[in-house]
Amino acid sequence: MNQAAESVEISGEFRRPRNLAQEIKGSIHDDATASKLGFRGGTVAGSVHMDQFVPALLELYGPDWFRRGTLSLTFKHATVDN
């Protein structure tokens, strides 16, 4: 049985996530440390990324998403401030 998956495209407001942990020296969020590890700058925390999806998920699935929904993400590049 070969069934095509339903394709759904949703979009939301353009957002510019902030790196609120820039001042934690020696962490991957600190520009100097992240640069030494090969990143473009201090990385935005993963929890900030997850928050970016909530408005669109609520619009698409409603509040039940908090009880039964899941979210799995793969990033190709680390996000830096703004």
Side-chain angles (χ1 to χ4, degrees):
M1 182 183 297
N2 188 7
Q3 293 180 334
E6 181 182 338
S7 177
V8 176
E9 183 177 324
I10 59 172
S11 63
E13 148 193 11
F14 183 80
R15 302 175 91 178
R16 294 180 179 273
R18 301 302 316 259
N19 178 8
L20 302 177
Q22 293 179 70
E23 304 304 318
I24 303 175
K25 301 298 178 201
S27 77
I28 199 165
H29 306 292
D30 165 45
D31 284 339
T33 302
S35 294
K36 288 178 189 174
L37 295 170
F39 295 102
R40 295 176 293 150
T43 61
V44 173
S47 58
V48 173
H49 289 93
M50 301 304 273
D51 289 344
Q52 303 293 308
F53 293 93
V54 172
L57 290 167
L58 285 175
E59 183 178 326
L60 185 62
Y61 299 111
D64 278 346
W65 178 79
F66 282 113
R67 288 191 291 276
R68 292 184 281 225
T70 61
L71 178 63
S72 177
L73 304 169
T74 300
F75 295 94
K76 293 182 179 189
H77 304 284
T79 305
V80 295
D81 192 59
N82 267 326

